Amino acid sequence: METTNRTSDYELTVIVPVFNEESNIDDLEKQLSSFLPQSLYKTCVMFVDDGSTDDSLQRIKTICSRNNDFFFLALAHNGGLSAALKAGIDATESKFVGYMDADLQTAPVDFNLLLPYISDYEIVIGIRAKRQDSFFKKMQSRIANGFRRIMTNDGVQDTGCPLKVIRTQNAKRIPFFTGMHRFLPALILLQGGKIKQVTIRHFPRVNGVSKYHLWNRLISPFLDCFAYRWMKKRYINYMITEENYLEQKNG
């Protein structure tokens, strides 16, 4: 039986990684359902359940069953944010791919602040204005961001902002590794791509608990920066100028 990838019917696929966010699923449905008719591009949603141990997956299945533009993947076990992003990108065939967290500290409708620039840039990322986090959390992020900018020289102000849009062809070429999600702009630069940064809104977390702590917000990013520097020297980038193996068929 022939199968088709339904994301190819859309211009933008918004990936939403989910790990133990059962209390946020209903609000995600409301906000995403409200955003889709307003989106500047024809948009669908791809939930990626990252091995949740609560009722997240069942709730995702329920909301997907009543929303024609909602799809999901369920990973066999918890692999982390980078693994969930890779799975979503691998499954996407729309022209553009977006990413947002399931904690709803960013609003789906703010994708419309990023989308006007995606035709001119390979990646467009948000900058969280008036960030609604604790002083300790913001301090950790500020230190990690500063060190990452020194190590990558990507010029990105807020790489941890979980609202991004990437051209899918570029996203699929990103070399994925644990912690990759912290280096999406830098990895696009390795391809010769361009970055646009846009200010967006930020909200306090209402439901659920953060999955981040001192290790994965501060110490682990330091170690990942050295992995990025090692990979940067060995990164293979190429551009095809001609080919004769692709064929377009009518009908």
Side-chain angles (χ1 to χ4, degrees):
M1 180 182 296
E2 183 179 355
T3 60
T4 59
N5 187 321
R6 287 192 283 171
T7 65
S8 63
D9 295 331
Y10 299 83
E11 297 169 287
L12 170 67
T13 301
V14 173
I15 297 172
V16 186
V18 176
F19 178 63
N20 291 351
E21 293 282 2
E22 61 181 7
S23 58
N24 273 321
I25 302 303
D26 290 342
D27 286 340
L28 277 166
E29 178 184 20
K30 292 175 184 176
Q31 291 200 30
L32 287 163
S33 295
S34 176
F35 162 64
L36 294 189
Q38 305 177 54
S39 178
L40 300 180
Y41 290 92
K42 185 180 179 182
T43 301
C44 66
V45 177
M46 176 70 74
F47 294 98
V48 182
D49 182 75
D50 188 21
S52 292
T53 56
D54 63 1
D55 199 40
S56 293
L57 179 56
Q58 187 55 52
R59 295 190 182 198
I60 288 170
K61 290 179 179 180
T62 298
I63 66 173
C64 286
S65 69
R66 60 183 179 234
N67 292 275
N68 292 333
D69 301 316
F70 286 13
F71 310 115
F72 77 91
L73 298 174
L75 304 189
H77 55 80
N78 177 243
L81 182 53
S82 293
L85 276 176
K86 175 171 172 53
I89 290 171
D90 285 348
T92 294
E93 294 298 335
S94 55
K95 184 175 182 181
F96 306 115
V97 58
Y99 154 58
M100 65 170 287
D101 278 350
D103 60 14
L104 287 174
Q105 289 194 256
T106 52
V109 70
D110 281 359
F111 275 114
N112 279 345
L113 300 176
L114 310 186
L115 290 172
Y117 301 99
I118 194 58
S119 59
D120 297 319
Y121 296 85
E122 281 69 27
I123 183 170
V124 186
I125 65 176
I127 301 173
R128 291 169 286 188
K130 299 179 181 178
R131 187 172 171 183
Q132 302 297 306
D133 287 319
S134 68
F135 171 80
F136 186 55
K137 185 175 181 180
K138 288 188 286 188
M139 181 184 67
Q140 291 176 22
S141 295
R142 190 175 296 115
I143 294 170
N145 264 321
F147 184 73
R148 178 199 48 75
R149 280 196 297 270
I150 292 172
M151 295 291 281
T152 64
N153 196 33
D154 62 7
V156 172
Q157 182 175 333
D158 187 12
T159 191
C161 178
L163 206 70
K164 298 178 175 70
V165 179
I166 314 172
R167 296 184 189 179
T168 303
Q169 63 179 6
N170 295 95
K172 288 183 180 290
R173 292 176 56 197
I174 290 174
F176 281 83
F177 53 90
T178 300
M180 168 279 308
H181 61 276
R182 303 183 183 98
F183 299 93
L184 288 173
L187 292 167
I188 292 295
L189 285 178
L190 290 184
Q191 300 177 18
K194 301 186 298 298
I195 301 169
K196 176 67 176 179
Q197 302 179 69
V198 179
T199 300
I200 64 165
R201 296 172 296 167
H202 191 245
F203 306 92
R205 178 187 266 273
V206 176
N207 298 311
V209 296
S210 174
K211 311 305 185 295
Y212 289 92
H213 43 72
L214 180 62
W215 173 262
N216 56 25
R217 187 181 290 118
L218 191 57
I219 300 174
S220 184
F222 282 174
L223 301 177
D224 291 339
C225 281
F226 292 102
Y228 169 82
R229 289 288 291 265
W230 178 91
M231 185 207 64
K232 181 179 179 180
K233 294 180 180 180
R234 293 158 179 81
Y235 180 73
I236 296 174
N237 191 27
Y238 65 88
M239 181 178 297
I240 296 173
T241 57
E242 294 184 71
E243 51 78 16
N244 74 340
Y245 67 90
L246 297 177
E247 181 181 8
Q248 293 185 347
K249 296 184 179 180
N250 297 323

